[in-house]
């Protein structure tokens, strides 16, 4: 296999589009929550996207190797499904902006899990500082003043905690995928198990909690179609393709656009109010996540900057 290429214009453009799609999913779910519950929406999109992945695997001549991967498949399905159960409930209780910011703490939890389980993934000092910064941002966002009463979407602490729990489950899914037999499986098969787990857990939870009422409006149908085909199916396949061809660390830097897009779109499209303390906390979270996930590129940039400064000082002394 050839070594990954540096990120070029095509990869950068695709990453911006992917981040926009991933941010839009929270906005779309929240926008039609009065007509179809977030739990049922995400369950239906997961089931339909799983069917599309199965069809793609059939076209590609790939077979589901569930017998070889059943332990990892069961675990990753439960984790991924649990993540979206918490996300769906969070979207009922808090704003889309809060949900997307707390959900995208996932790289922090993934880095901590890999640090404990994989010797080659030990955290460096800059990453440790980033984790401390991110958790400080979470604390500030939780403990600060609420948004103005009556301004935009309501938020509550339980919804925020559920979104943070979704980030924890997402991070644990990443650690599990790295350490199980699924790391050697085709990307489409690993995605299939995650989607199947989400479909079973969310549709079951929707039935058990009575969240099955639907008003089939054009917005509901359009939102489900977009989430199924673009978000849950195409965007993840494009993401896996990019990971196979380009440097993962540099691609990871672009994912921090997702919460920025989410907060901006929530305020613009859903009229969600943003408390100043939440904005400050979100910025600290994003800065911490960048320091953790992009530690390699950041360290290289700092090293090059220090080298240029030393060269300039030497020239001045000469």
């Amino acid at each position: 296999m050839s070594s990954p290429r540096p990120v070029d214009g095509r990869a950068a453009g695709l990453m911006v589009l992917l981040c926009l799609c991933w941010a839009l999913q929270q906005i779309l779910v929240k926008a039609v929550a009065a007509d179809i519950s977030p739990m049922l929406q995400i369950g239906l999109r997961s089931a339909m996207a799983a069917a599309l992945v199965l069809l793609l695997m059939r076209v590609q001549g790939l077979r589901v190797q569930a017998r070889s991967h059943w332990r990892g498949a069961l675990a990753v399905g439960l984790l991924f499904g649990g993540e979206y159960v918490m996300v769906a409930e969070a979207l009922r209780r808090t704003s889309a902006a809060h949900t997307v910011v707390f959900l995208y703490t996932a790289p922090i939890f993934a880095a901590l899990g890999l640090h404990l389980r994989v010797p080659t993934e030990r955290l460096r000092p800059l990453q440790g500082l980033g984790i401390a910064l991110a958790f400080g941002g979470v604390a500030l966002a939780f403990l600060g003043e609420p948004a103005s009463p009556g301004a935009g979407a309501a938020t509550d602490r339980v919804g925020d905690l559920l979104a943070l729990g979704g980030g924890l489950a997402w991070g644990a899914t990443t650690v599990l995928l790295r350490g199980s037999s699924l790391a050697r499986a085709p990307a489409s098969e690993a995605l299939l198990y995650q989607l199947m787990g989400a479909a079973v857990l969310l549709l079951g939870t929707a039935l058990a909690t009575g969240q099955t009422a639907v008003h089939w409006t054009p917005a509901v149908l359009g939102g489900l179609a977009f989430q199924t085909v673009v978000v849950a199916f195409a965007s993840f396949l494009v993401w896996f393709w990019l990971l196979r061809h380009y440097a993962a660390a540099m691609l990871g830097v672009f994912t921090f656009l997702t919460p920025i897009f989410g907060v901006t779109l929530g305020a613009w499209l859903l009229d969600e109010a943003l408390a100043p303390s939440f904005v400050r906390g979100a910025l600290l979270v994003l800065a911490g996540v960048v320091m953790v996930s992009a530690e390699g590129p950041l360290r290289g940039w700092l090293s090059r900057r220090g080298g240029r400064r030393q060269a300039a000082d030497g020239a001045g002394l000469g």
Side-chain angles (χ1 to χ4, degrees), residues 111-139:
L112 286 170
L114 291 169
H115 172 79
L116 295 173
R117 293 195 57 181
V118 182
T120 57
E121 297 279 356
R122 298 294 183 189
L123 291 169
R124 296 178 179 272
L126 186 62
Q127 292 174 304
L129 178 60
I131 287 175
L133 198 64
F135 280 120
V138 169

Side-chain angles (χ1 to χ4, degrees), residues 95-159:
S95 68
H98 280 219
T99 301
V100 73
V101 168
F102 290 124
L103 179 61
Y104 273 79
T105 58
I108 299 295
F109 295 114
L112 286 170
L114 291 169
H115 172 79
L116 295 173
R117 293 195 57 181
V118 182
T120 57
E121 297 279 356
R122 298 294 183 189
L123 291 169
R124 296 178 179 272
L126 186 62
Q127 292 174 304
L129 178 60
I131 287 175
L133 198 64
F135 280 120
V138 169
L140 179 60
F142 269 109
L143 301 176
E145 74 278 7
S148 302
T155 64
D156 71 22
R157 298 290 188 254
V158 174

Side-chain angles (χ1 to χ4, degrees), residues 4 51 94 96 164 168 267 308:
T94 192
L164 189 63
L168 174 60
R308 286 195 298 267

Side-chain angles (χ1 to χ4, degrees), residues 21 30 37 76 80 101 153 162 177 180 188 193 200 207 210 216 275:
C21 289
K30 187 76 174 179
S37 70
V76 82
F80 189 79
V101 168
L162 285 167
L177 283 170
S180 74
S188 53
Y193 296 138
V200 170
L207 280 171
W216 292 108

